Amino acid sequence: MELQVDELTPSMRCVSLSGRLDANGADRVGVPFTAAVSAPGRHAMLDLSGVTFLASMGIRLLIASARSVDARGQKLVMFGAQDLVKSVLQEAAIDQIIPLVDTRDDALAYLAQG
Amino acid sequence: MWSDAGCTASAPAMPPLWPDGSAAAPRLDLQLPARRESLDDAQRALSTLLHDQRVDQQAVYRCELVLEELLVNVLMHGRVVAGDPGISLTVEVQSDAVQLCIEDGGPDFDPLTCPDPPRATHISRAPVGGLGLMLVRRMTRELRHERVSGRNRTLAWVSREPACPGR
């Protein structure tokens, strides 16, 4: 599991994950991922297009990070999930509590809303 | 049960045969130490078997997810005691389903008795526990638990139908 952070603007960053977001993957990126997503003063878009597998420990990491973002009054949106990853997010109803959109442009549009 | 270990088939692509000449289901049998490194080892072995048997990609994903969640549950809630043989994993590729069997020496635990976590309406109230077993129940056609000779045995059947969510 790999992590990449791109600063889009002073108040917005894109965090990209690639690989398997399972128990071992979540262990490897957990701390830097949460820090990257919930950095003060920044909204975040999470690029899931490189995630090939998602399991409950990965979902747990997403939830914990999203909670940190919410607690700071900032926004987080996920995009680009592959079909099988998307179906797991939907089965667990995570898409109901963390916004999930299709494309990078959709994510930018979501964060641009007031 | 006669496993691949005793197979004397000359061509690797031939399925092993039962003594009566009928084809046995392709399978793998692994003994794994009860530690996190075993997750990757088990997934690699499962993936190789399922791809060799041309199982559909969606069914492969469901099998990998079920394996991950059941093993993580064992590792999180089990215990390692001296002399414990660790975790036994058996996977059998049947005509319409993949059967996974996991045995461990942890405390008696029946995954069927755990209720689904409540569905949260806001991130601040999202559950962090219970999602794994919920996903197992969603992804399997059938799930059984037994306690045999002081060990937990969980059997799961994942449908090979691509679009069916295991049921």
Side-chain angles (χ1 to χ4, degrees), chain A residues 23 27 54 56 60 67 91, chain B residues 36 61 68-69 126 128 138:
Chain A
D27 263 357
L54 175 66
S56 69
R60 189 182 283 213
R67 277 184 171 166
E91 283 285 354
Chain B
R36 288 291 279 263
Y61 191 109
E68 163 85 7
E69 301 301 348
V128 289
R138 296 275 194 280

Side-chain angles (χ1 to χ4, degrees), chain B:
Chain B
M1 197 171 208
W2 200 56
S3 73
D4 288 355
C7 177
T8 56
S10 55
M14 291 286 291
L17 300 177
W18 294 104
D20 66 359
S22 62
R27 62 185 277 156
L28 72 88
D29 296 279
L30 286 181
Q31 279 299 129
L32 301 159
R35 55 177 191 245
R36 288 291 279 263
E37 292 80 5
S38 294
L39 288 170
D40 288 343
D41 293 339
Q43 289 288 4
R44 266 193 296 273
L46 173 71
S47 177
T48 299
L49 173 69
L50 298 185
H51 283 97
D52 285 350
Q53 297 305 317
R54 301 197 176 123
V55 175
D56 178 83
Q57 182 190 12
Q58 292 185 54
V60 170
Y61 191 109
R62 292 195 298 271
C63 291
E64 291 184 355
L65 185 57
V66 169
L67 178 63
E68 163 85 7
E69 301 301 348
L70 291 177
L71 285 183
V72 166
N73 197 67
V74 168
L75 293 172
M76 283 178 65
H77 301 292
R79 60 167 185 255
V80 179
V81 297
D84 187 280
I87 302 169
S88 302
L89 170 65
T90 300
V91 181
E92 189 175 282
V93 182
Q94 300 166 350
S95 59
D96 64 342
V98 176
Q99 177 189 299
L100 297 96
C101 177
I102 294 167
E103 288 189 12
D104 71 274
D108 190 2
F109 176 75
D110 182 354
L112 285 89
T113 60
C114 294
D116 284 355
R119 185 164 281 222
T121 54
H122 191 271
I123 187 63
S124 61
R125 291 184 291 278
V128 289
L131 287 171
L133 293 178
M134 183 201 73
L135 288 172
V136 169
R137 287 190 286 270
R138 296 275 194 280
M139 298 292 154
T140 50
R141 188 172 70 190
E142 186 178 350
L143 195 59
R144 279 190 221 159
H145 170 76
E146 303 167 335
R147 185 78 179 170
V148 180
S149 302
R151 290 172 64 78
N152 294 306
R153 178 187 291 166
T154 301
L155 294 112
W157 284 262
V158 177
S159 171
R160 289 184 65 171
E161 286 294 316
C164 168
R167 300 191 201 94

